[in-house]
Amino acid sequence: MIDLTLSQNLQGHQNPIFALSAGLDSSTFYSAGNDKGVVEWDLSEGKFRRILCAVPASVYALHLLQEQQILVLGLRSGEVWVVDINEQRLVAKLLTGKGAIFSVQSIHEKNELVAIGEEGVAYVWSLDKFELLYNFRVAETAVRCMALYSGGNHIVFGDKNGVIHLYDVSDFKEVTKSKVHSMPVTTLVVDDIYLYSGGRDAKLHQLNLFDLTSKETISAHMFTVYAAIPHRNLPILATISRDKSIKLWDTPSLALRKNISRERGSEDGHRLSINTAIWIGDRLVTAGDDKIIKVWDLSGNL
């Protein structure tokens, strides 16, 4: 048996939370959403640390550049902000065409930053001077998620029509695409063996990496799967959903190991949609529409 035990409830946000990011060390993380600021939390003491920066619009994506000690923000306004964590300084304000930015990734092998969102166009900047290098259209509709393959040679995008697009990072040319979901793709994540995709259709797909063919498909939740997050060292995949539940799955078998929700009798569970989650070591951090960040400790026979 494995278990998730609630260890902290962190409160302070006044509106729904959409994004979480690990911090520069294991005792720090960041949260943002429909409030007017990005919050830094002290995980070791379970308390608010500071407002990292004020923002003019909702934040839908957070991405940490560990080596540069920078946090990148994807905003509803279509801007991408680059913030120096130590100096609490806005390093760059990167502009896109129109529409919200939903996902940000960095390709360290090429020293590039990629952002994509509502207009379906990917924007690529240099990581040294944050100059726009190029942009390319992935889809004629919104793209809510992307994931970088191990080694940094390929990247996948998931669009509103349920299509997954695989690109070669060397020239950003499309390798293949496949309609996987009947509704929008809402999360993509890669481990050493498979690509996992979750969607508004409540399905979780386990896909072969390079031809996007399906290895396994399960009805993971009752509603939208907002995130699938593999544990860094253990064969465990956590998923969270609009249905207010947290589930742990074995990988690669996708056998269900744990289900936490108020409907299943867990009074510690979230009361509203869970929008985002991250692993920090053996702790799972979850947050969503109830404005509460919950920190769960993983234990048991793994």
Side-chain angles (χ1 to χ4, degrees):
M1 293 290 293
I2 60 174
D3 202 7
L4 281 176
T5 305
L6 183 68
S7 63
Q8 296 174 14
N9 275 320
L10 304 180
Q11 301 187 52
H13 279 278
Q14 302 300 309
N15 290 289
I17 303 163
F18 301 134
L20 294 169
S21 170
L24 296 177
D25 56 57
S26 60
S27 67
T28 305
F29 72 94
Y30 300 98
S31 62
N34 203 28
D35 283 340
K36 296 301 182 182
V38 177
V39 180
E40 182 177 284
W41 299 90
D42 188 321
L43 187 60
S44 60
E45 298 188 17
K47 67 180 184 180
F48 167 89
R49 179 174 286 179
R50 61 176 177 168
I51 300 293
L52 178 66
C53 65
V55 291
S58 297
V59 177
Y60 290 146
L62 294 174
H63 181 71
L64 180 70
L65 301 176
Q66 180 83 35
E67 292 183 4
Q68 295 94 329
Q69 300 188 341
I70 278 173
L71 190 66
V72 183
L73 288 53
L75 276 64
R76 182 180 181 180
S77 62
E79 295 177 341
V80 176
W81 282 21
V82 181
V83 178
D84 184 297
I85 291 172
N86 294 321
E87 297 182 7
Q88 291 185 262
R89 177 175 60 89
L90 182 61
V91 175
K93 185 185 294 185
L94 311 177
L95 304 179
T96 65
K98 60 180 180 179
I101 294 297
F102 294 131
S103 187
V104 179
Q105 286 283 343
S106 52
I107 306 172
H108 293 287
E109 291 79 5
K110 293 184 68 184
N111 202 37
E112 293 175 348
L113 182 73
V114 185
I116 197 165
E118 196 169 358
E119 66 173 331
V121 174
Y123 292 83
V124 184
W125 297 271
S126 66
L127 275 176
D128 48 5
K129 297 182 179 179
F130 297 103
E131 296 175 336
L132 182 65
L133 301 176
Y134 26 79
N135 61 66
F136 57 96
R137 178 165 292 282
V138 172
E140 296 297 328
T141 187
V143 174
R144 291 193 170 271
C145 52
M146 62 175 160
L148 186 68
Y149 281 19
S150 298
N153 294 322
H154 293 83
I155 194 168
V156 281
F157 303 89
D159 75 24
K160 191 176 179 180
N161 291 329
V163 178
I164 297 176
H165 307 255
L166 175 65
Y167 276 71
D168 188 317
V169 165
S170 64
D171 55 8
F172 288 112
K173 299 297 184 184
E174 188 171 75
V175 176
T176 189
K177 64 181 178 181
S178 177
K179 184 170 172 58
V180 174
H181 292 270
S182 61
M183 299 178 75
V185 186
T186 47
T187 185
L188 290 168
V189 68
V190 177
D191 65 13
D192 292 334
I193 306 174
Y194 295 111
L195 167 67
Y196 295 88
S197 70
R200 194 172 292 174
D201 57 9
K203 296 290 197 298
L204 180 69
H205 291 267
Q206 183 185 68
L207 305 168
N208 291 307
L209 290 172
F210 295 107
D211 61 11
L212 305 183
T213 55
S214 180
K215 178 71 174 177
E216 188 72 47
T217 301
I218 60 173
S219 296
H221 289 271
M222 295 295 292
F223 303 110
T224 307
V225 182
Y226 277 133
I229 322 102
H231 191 283
R232 174 171 290 186
N233 301 314
L234 301 170
I236 292 173
L237 182 76
T239 59
I240 51 98
S241 171
R242 180 172 168 262
D243 69 9
K244 302 170 284 187
S245 69
I246 303 166
K247 295 184 179 182
L248 297 182
W249 311 85
D250 271 334
T251 57
S253 70
L254 290 184
L256 181 64
R257 298 292 299 274
K258 188 68 179 181
N259 183 357
I260 296 176
S261 69
R262 288 178 176 262
E263 284 73 10
R264 299 277 297 184
S266 173
E267 293 301 316
D268 291 332
H270 285 274
R271 294 180 291 104
L272 298 171
S273 173
I274 310 173
N275 301 328
T276 180
I278 55 171
W279 285 107
I280 302 178
D282 287 335
R283 288 180 146 182
L284 183 67
V285 184
T286 59
D289 282 359
D290 60 10
K291 312 165 194 174
I292 299 173
I293 299 170
K294 292 180 178 286
V295 181
W296 309 83
D297 292 335
L298 180 67
S299 62
N301 182 10
L302 305 175

